[in-house]
Amino acid sequence: MNIDRLMDFAYLALRVVAGFMYFQVGSAILFGWFGGMHYPEGMSAPPLLSQMGVGAVLEFVGGLLVLLGLFTRPAAFIVAGEMAVGYWQFHAPNGGWPFQNGGVAAVLYCFVFLYLAARGGGEWSLDAWFRTRREARTSNQLA
């Protein structure tokens, strides 16, 4: 296997795993999947139009899109922004360093998703599949 193929596979693994992990969080909050969220006594799932509810929708939809490699650039950019907002709003006030304030995952997700937004879906993604089909259709029309 040549190094370019190995790099494509490693990128696919990064995209799929990051998307799936993010999807899990949103689906646990929204639908109780993967064991659900454990809310304190007397607290239920957040209203859909609350900040946490909108965040859960972004995590569910954005994670699924990144996982599939569909609209990867905009989806990854939006969820990177969500993680930046989450870090600065909820973690940063609790201490100066991500390790101190519990924000390591938020920072890591933010930068992983920024990388995915810059690079796109990669060779093995629905974005690439649709692009190939569109190019084939265009070349057939020109012939």
Side-chain angles (χ1 to χ4, degrees), residues 42-57:
M43 185 178 167
S44 62
L48 199 55
L49 294 179
S50 67
Q51 186 176 10
M52 190 170 173
V54 170
V57 170

Side-chain angles (χ1 to χ4, degrees), residues 7-23:
M7 288 172 48
D8 288 340
F9 181 74
Y11 183 70
L12 169 68
L14 173 68
R15 194 193 79 231
V16 167
V17 169
F20 183 64
M21 293 293 133
Y22 213 61
F23 167 80

Side-chain angles (χ1 to χ4, degrees), residues 114-132:
L114 278 177
Y115 176 65
L116 295 174
R119 183 156 175 200
E123 182 181 342
W124 296 325
S125 66
L126 287 178
D127 288 338
W129 185 76
F130 283 120
R131 184 176 51 252
T132 302

Side-chain angles (χ1 to χ4, degrees), residues 37-96:
M37 293 293 292
H38 301 285
Y39 297 105
E41 185 76 29
M43 185 178 167
S44 62
L48 199 55
L49 294 179
S50 67
Q51 186 176 10
M52 190 170 173
V54 170
V57 170
L58 287 173
E59 290 159 358
F60 179 81
V61 174
L64 188 59
L65 290 173
V66 167
L67 166 71
L68 297 172
L70 182 62
F71 305 115
T72 309
R73 289 179 196 271
F77 185 74
I78 289 168
V79 295
E82 179 196 11
M83 284 291 89
V85 167
Y87 177 78
W88 290 108
Q89 185 174 3
F90 298 107
H91 297 285
N94 298 323

